[in-house]
Protein backbone atom coordinates (compact mmCIF):
# COMPACT_ATOMS: atom_id res chain seq x y z
CA UNK A 1 0.00 0.00 0.00
CA UNK A 2 1.18 3.48 -0.67
CA UNK A 3 0.48 6.70 1.05
CA UNK A 4 -0.90 9.77 -0.65
CA UNK A 5 2.26 11.77 -0.01
CA UNK A 6 4.63 9.66 -2.12
CA UNK A 7 6.26 11.53 -4.96
CA UNK A 8 8.20 9.31 -7.37
CA UNK A 9 8.69 11.91 -10.08
CA UNK A 10 12.25 12.72 -8.98
CA UNK A 11 13.43 9.31 -10.24
CA UNK A 12 11.03 8.82 -13.16
CA UNK A 13 9.16 10.80 -15.78
CA UNK A 14 5.85 9.72 -14.27
CA UNK A 15 3.79 12.36 -12.46
CA UNK A 16 2.38 10.94 -9.23
CA UNK A 17 0.22 12.46 -6.47
CA UNK A 18 1.36 16.00 -5.61
CA UNK A 19 3.67 16.13 -8.65
CA UNK A 20 0.57 16.49 -10.84
CA UNK A 21 0.29 20.24 -11.44
CA UNK A 22 -3.12 20.39 -13.16
CA UNK A 23 -6.03 22.13 -11.43
CA UNK A 24 -8.61 19.65 -12.73
CA UNK A 25 -8.27 16.02 -13.80
CA UNK A 26 -10.33 13.17 -15.17
CA UNK A 27 -9.98 10.11 -12.92
CA UNK A 28 -10.11 6.41 -13.74
CA UNK A 29 -10.49 4.55 -10.46
CA UNK A 30 -8.90 1.23 -9.53
CA UNK A 31 -11.99 -0.63 -10.83
CA UNK A 32 -11.57 1.00 -14.28
CA UNK A 33 -14.58 3.31 -13.90
CA UNK A 34 -14.15 6.73 -15.49
CA UNK A 35 -15.24 9.72 -13.38
CA UNK A 36 -16.08 13.21 -14.60
CA UNK A 37 -13.63 16.09 -14.46
CA UNK A 38 -12.87 17.05 -10.85
CA UNK A 39 -10.44 19.25 -8.90
CA UNK A 40 -7.02 17.71 -8.22
CA UNK A 41 -7.52 17.87 -4.44
CA UNK A 42 -10.71 15.80 -4.69
CA UNK A 43 -8.92 13.25 -6.92
CA UNK A 44 -6.02 12.99 -4.45
CA UNK A 45 -8.49 12.43 -1.60
CA UNK A 46 -10.21 9.69 -3.62
CA UNK A 47 -6.87 7.95 -4.26
CA UNK A 48 -5.92 8.23 -0.60
CA UNK A 49 -9.26 6.71 0.43
CA UNK A 50 -8.28 3.61 -1.59
CA UNK A 51 -4.74 3.75 -0.07
CA UNK A 52 -3.34 4.11 -3.56
CA UNK A 53 -1.61 6.70 -5.71
CA UNK A 54 -2.96 9.11 -8.31
CA UNK A 55 -0.87 8.69 -11.46
CA UNK A 56 -1.06 10.91 -14.54
CA UNK A 57 -1.35 8.70 -17.62
CA UNK A 58 -1.88 11.36 -20.29
CA UNK A 59 0.69 13.65 -21.86
CA UNK A 60 1.85 16.53 -19.63
CA UNK A 61 0.29 19.19 -21.83
CA UNK A 62 -3.12 17.47 -22.12
CA UNK A 63 -6.12 19.43 -20.86
CA UNK A 64 -7.62 18.03 -18.71
CA UNK A 65 -5.01 15.58 -17.44
CA UNK A 66 -6.19 11.98 -17.28
CA UNK A 67 -5.17 10.21 -14.07
CA UNK A 68 -5.50 6.67 -12.86
CA UNK A 69 -5.75 5.42 -9.30
CA UNK A 70 -3.26 2.57 -8.81
CA UNK A 71 -0.53 1.24 -6.57
CA UNK A 72 2.34 3.02 -8.32
CA UNK A 73 5.14 1.27 -6.39
CA UNK A 74 3.80 -2.14 -7.41
CA UNK A 75 3.28 -0.98 -11.01
CA UNK A 76 6.82 0.36 -11.23
CA UNK A 77 8.24 -2.85 -9.73
CA UNK A 78 6.34 -5.01 -12.25
CA UNK A 79 7.57 -2.84 -15.13
CA UNK A 80 11.21 -3.06 -13.97
CA UNK A 81 10.88 -6.83 -13.51
CA UNK A 82 9.52 -7.19 -17.05
CA UNK A 83 12.32 -5.03 -18.51
CA UNK A 84 14.93 -7.04 -16.62
CA UNK A 85 13.47 -10.31 -17.89
CA UNK A 86 13.42 -9.17 -21.53
CA UNK A 87 16.96 -7.80 -21.25
CA UNK A 88 18.30 -11.09 -19.88
CA UNK A 89 16.48 -13.18 -22.47
CA UNK A 90 17.99 -11.32 -25.41
CA UNK A 91 20.70 -13.15 -27.29
CA UNK A 92 23.82 -11.13 -27.75
CA UNK A 93 26.41 -10.81 -30.48
CA UNK A 94 29.73 -12.34 -29.44
CA UNK A 95 32.97 -11.23 -31.08
CA UNK A 96 36.05 -13.38 -31.56
CA UNK A 97 39.14 -11.44 -32.63
CA UNK A 98 42.36 -12.75 -34.06
CA UNK A 99 45.32 -11.63 -36.11
CA UNK A 100 46.55 -12.90 -39.45
CA UNK A 101 49.53 -14.64 -37.82
CA UNK A 102 47.35 -16.98 -35.76
CA UNK A 103 48.63 -20.54 -35.43
CA UNK A 104 46.53 -23.58 -36.38
CA UNK A 105 45.88 -24.71 -32.80
CA UNK A 106 44.97 -21.19 -31.65
CA UNK A 107 42.55 -20.90 -34.57
CA UNK A 108 40.92 -24.19 -33.56
CA UNK A 109 40.48 -22.91 -30.00
CA UNK A 110 38.85 -19.70 -31.29
CA UNK A 111 36.54 -21.71 -33.54
CA UNK A 112 35.61 -23.98 -30.59
CA UNK A 113 34.70 -20.87 -28.58
CA UNK A 114 32.54 -19.77 -31.51
CA UNK A 115 30.85 -23.17 -31.63
CA UNK A 116 30.12 -22.93 -27.89
CA UNK A 117 28.55 -19.46 -28.35
CA UNK A 118 26.47 -20.71 -31.28
CA UNK A 119 25.18 -23.64 -29.20
CA UNK A 120 24.10 -21.12 -26.55
CA UNK A 121 22.05 -19.33 -29.24
CA UNK A 122 24.26 -16.27 -29.72
CA UNK A 123 25.39 -14.80 -33.02
CA UNK A 124 29.16 -14.78 -33.48
CA UNK A 125 31.29 -12.26 -35.36
CA UNK A 126 34.76 -13.47 -36.30
CA UNK A 127 37.19 -10.60 -36.77
CA UNK A 128 40.63 -10.78 -38.35
CA UNK A 129 42.58 -7.59 -37.76
CA UNK A 130 45.38 -6.73 -40.15
CA UNK A 131 48.19 -4.56 -38.80
CA UNK A 132 51.01 -2.82 -40.60
CA UNK A 133 52.45 -5.01 -43.34
CA UNK A 134 49.64 -7.53 -42.84
CA UNK A 135 47.55 -5.29 -45.11
CA UNK A 136 49.61 -6.58 -48.06
CA UNK A 137 48.53 -10.17 -47.21
CA UNK A 138 44.74 -9.79 -47.34
CA UNK A 139 44.49 -13.06 -49.28
CA UNK A 140 45.77 -14.97 -46.22
CA UNK A 141 43.07 -13.35 -44.09
CA UNK A 142 40.43 -14.55 -46.55
CA UNK A 143 41.95 -18.07 -46.40
CA UNK A 144 41.65 -18.06 -42.59
CA UNK A 145 38.02 -16.96 -42.91
CA UNK A 146 37.42 -19.80 -45.40
CA UNK A 147 38.77 -22.28 -42.81
CA UNK A 148 36.36 -20.84 -40.23
CA UNK A 149 33.46 -21.24 -42.66
CA UNK A 150 34.52 -24.83 -43.32
CA UNK A 151 34.68 -25.68 -39.59
CA UNK A 152 31.30 -24.10 -38.85
CA UNK A 153 29.46 -25.43 -41.92
CA UNK A 154 27.74 -28.19 -39.90
CA UNK A 155 26.17 -25.99 -37.24
CA UNK A 156 26.04 -22.49 -38.67
CA UNK A 157 25.75 -20.44 -41.78
CA UNK A 158 27.34 -17.07 -42.48
CA UNK A 159 24.96 -14.12 -42.73
CA UNK A 160 27.09 -12.50 -45.39
CA UNK A 161 30.31 -12.80 -47.31
CA UNK A 162 33.49 -11.74 -45.47
CA UNK A 163 33.67 -7.94 -45.53
CA UNK A 164 36.82 -5.87 -45.39
CA UNK A 165 36.34 -2.52 -43.68
CA UNK A 166 39.58 -0.64 -43.26
CA UNK A 167 42.06 -3.05 -41.73
CA UNK A 168 39.43 -5.44 -40.38
CA UNK A 169 37.98 -8.51 -42.10
CA UNK A 170 34.80 -9.70 -40.43
CA UNK A 171 31.99 -12.18 -40.87
CA UNK A 172 28.86 -12.89 -38.81
CA UNK A 173 27.54 -16.40 -38.16
CA UNK A 174 24.14 -17.33 -36.77
CA UNK A 175 22.77 -20.67 -35.66
CA UNK A 176 21.33 -22.67 -38.53
CA UNK A 177 17.71 -23.41 -37.54
CA UNK A 178 17.84 -26.80 -39.29
CA UNK A 179 20.56 -28.04 -36.94
CA UNK A 180 19.41 -28.87 -33.41
CA UNK A 181 21.55 -27.15 -30.77
CA UNK A 182 22.29 -28.87 -27.47
Amino acid sequence: MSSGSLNFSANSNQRVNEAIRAKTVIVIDNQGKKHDEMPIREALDMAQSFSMDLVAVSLPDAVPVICKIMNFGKERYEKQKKQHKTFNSQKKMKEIKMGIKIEKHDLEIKINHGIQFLHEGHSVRFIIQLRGRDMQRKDEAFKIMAKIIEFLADISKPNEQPTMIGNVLSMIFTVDKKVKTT
Side-chain angles (χ1 to χ4, degrees):
M1 290 194 181
S2 22
S3 71
S5 63
L6 291 177
N7 183 352
F8 292 100
S9 64
N11 295 335
S12 67
N13 295 332
Q14 197 75 43
R15 293 165 297 146
V16 181
N17 297 331
E18 280 78 23
I20 302 170
R21 297 290 176 214
K23 293 182 193 246
T24 59
V25 294
I26 294 177
V27 176
I28 300 171
D29 65 16
N30 58 343
Q31 306 296 323
K33 182 182 175 206
K34 183 177 176 182
H35 295 270
D36 291 332
E37 193 170 336
M38 64 177 71
I40 186 70
R41 181 58 28 212
E42 188 178 325
L44 285 168
D45 291 341
M46 182 188 292
Q48 194 168 19
S49 71
F50 289 116
S51 297
M52 294 190 169
D53 300 306
L54 185 67
V55 181
V57 292
S58 65
L59 295 173
D61 55 351
V63 177
V65 175
I66 299 173
C67 296
K68 190 170 183 179
I69 296 175
M70 66 172 74
N71 185 340
F72 184 67
K74 181 179 178 183
E75 189 76 22
R76 191 170 67 167
Y77 171 74
E78 293 294 330
K79 188 175 180 181
Q80 285 175 344
K81 192 169 141 182
K82 184 178 177 183
Q83 285 176 342
H84 184 71
K85 185 177 181 181
T86 57
F87 177 76
N88 285 340
S89 67
Q90 292 175 350
K91 299 297 179 188
K92 297 178 178 77
M93 172 75 70
K94 301 289 187 175
E95 287 189 355
I96 298 177
K97 295 183 180 183
M98 62 194 84
I100 197 169
K101 300 171 187 165
I102 191 165
E103 292 295 324
K104 182 180 177 184
H105 179 65
D106 296 333
L107 178 62
E108 290 172 1
I109 290 173
K110 298 270 189 184
I111 291 172
N112 286 335
H113 283 290
I115 290 170
Q116 181 181 357
F117 291 142
L118 288 166
H119 281 301
E120 291 171 4
H122 301 288
S123 295
V124 180
R125 174 181 287 146
F126 283 92
I127 297 173
I128 299 174
Q129 188 154 17
L130 306 173
R131 300 170 196 223
R133 291 188 180 179
D134 291 344
M135 288 296 288
Q136 297 170 351
R137 302 181 353 206
K138 292 179 186 176
D139 57 329
E140 288 183 33
F142 280 97
K143 287 178 185 176
I144 293 171
M145 200 60 79
K147 287 180 188 176
I148 294 170
I149 293 170
E150 184 181 322
F151 271 102
L152 297 177
D154 296 340
I155 63 162
S156 177
K157 60 178 179 157
N159 285 4
E160 57 194 26
Q161 292 297 318
T163 54
M164 188 79 179
I165 300 174
N167 65 340
V168 174
L169 177 68
S170 67
M171 180 178 252
I172 299 173
F173 291 86
T174 54
V175 178
D176 193 355
K177 300 294 181 194
K178 298 173 190 169
V179 178
K180 185 178 178 183
T181 58
T182 55

